[in-house]
Amino acid sequence: MELSLLIIFWYGVLHAMGPDHLTAIADFSIGKNLRKTMMVTLLFALGHGITLFLFAKLLQSIPGIQAYTDYGDVISASVILLMGMYLLYMALSDRILLNKHTHDGQEHIHISFSRTHQHRWTDMMPALSLGVLMGIGGVRGMLVTLGLVSHQEVTFGMVALFALGVMLVFISFGGVILWLNRYWLNSLANVRRVFGALGLSSIAVGAQMLWF
């Protein structure tokens, strides 16, 4: 049983390392501070884990519902593709602004796309939504793995271990994005380079998900 749980956890790690997941996290966390970067990764992982558990239960109890999981792949791929186009547009236009200001006695550079500076928590909700949608598509692979290591009903503990592996990778990658935000995105030229590279990567990943 211990080996089965380890396999489930390891599959969660491998699943999270897919380019579609990492690209989605990068799209929504680039240019944000520590708190928002971590919140984006946690919300994405939370949405992913909850959806995986719920759809695993539905797939086991309702015949024919598996066909609908394809829509999650299509929608999430479309969002990644559109985000890539948006980031590329921002990199090539003059809409990116760098604002140096102080919060709680600490000066930092804030990346914005308008003259009005705002901190809105609602900006992070798309990360939760995309995590939910991508969880719908990813549930099939998780069920295959669970079927290989266990012939019993999918339990919350199994999905929790899978989600833990996913969250480990997401938070680690969020740390990489945070490093970029702090030490690389300190000039407009660097911001445009990173946004452009990320935009092209997102377009490539989204297109690959849609057409292959």
Side-chain angles (χ1 to χ4, degrees):
M1 183 63 178
E2 290 78 7
L3 179 60
S4 299
L5 295 178
L6 182 61
I7 292 174
I8 293 171
F9 171 79
W10 183 244
Y11 177 72
V13 172
L14 295 178
H15 176 81
M17 293 176 68
D20 52 340
H21 295 79
L22 300 183
T23 299
I25 291 176
D27 285 348
F28 287 106
S29 59
I30 196 73
K32 292 182 170 61
N33 58 26
L34 171 61
R35 184 181 301 176
K36 288 190 175 182
T37 299
M38 290 297 103
M39 283 299 297
V40 164
T41 57
L42 288 174
L43 285 173
F44 189 92
L46 179 64
H48 210 60
I50 291 175
T51 307
L52 284 169
F53 177 69
L54 293 178
F55 266 79
K57 289 293 188 181
L58 288 174
L59 285 173
Q60 287 190 326
S61 58
I62 303 177
I65 197 174
Q66 185 170 351
Y68 293 97
T69 60
D70 292 335
Y71 292 106
D73 289 335
V74 173
I75 295 173
S76 57
S78 300
V79 172
I80 291 175
L81 185 63
L82 291 173
M83 280 295 298
M85 293 178 180
Y86 173 74
L87 290 174
L88 189 59
Y89 166 73
M90 298 305 292
L92 297 175
S93 68
D94 295 324
R95 297 178 60 86
I96 301 177
L97 302 174
L98 294 186
N99 300 313
K100 183 179 292 187
H101 54 273
T102 302
H103 284 293
D104 300 325
Q106 293 186 345
E107 186 178 75
H108 68 276
I109 296 175
H110 179 77
I111 300 172
S112 62
F113 309 112
S114 67
R115 299 293 176 183
T116 304
H117 173 61
Q118 294 178 317
H119 288 279
R120 297 180 300 181
W121 288 100
T122 53
D123 293 340
M124 293 180 293
M125 294 313 294
L128 176 64
S129 302
L130 188 58
V132 168
L133 291 171
M134 296 186 76
I136 296 174
V139 70
R140 290 166 298 179
M142 186 193 70
L143 285 178
V144 170
T145 303
L146 292 176
L148 291 175
V149 301
S150 175
H151 298 288
Q152 57 186 347
E153 182 182 3
V154 176
T155 65
F156 180 78
M158 292 177 180
V159 179
L161 275 173
F162 177 86
L164 183 62
V166 169
M167 191 173 297
L168 178 64
V169 175
F170 286 173
I171 293 177
S172 299
F173 187 67
V176 174
I177 298 299
L178 180 62
W179 183 87
L180 284 175
N181 292 338
R182 280 187 173 180
Y183 301 108
W184 184 252
L185 301 183
N186 51 13
S187 70
L188 190 57
N190 285 344
V191 171
R192 286 178 173 170
R193 290 190 188 102
V194 172
F195 273 52
L198 184 56
L200 291 173
S201 300
S202 299
I203 291 172
V205 170
Q208 190 272 337
M209 291 174 65
L210 284 173
W211 287 296
F212 296 98

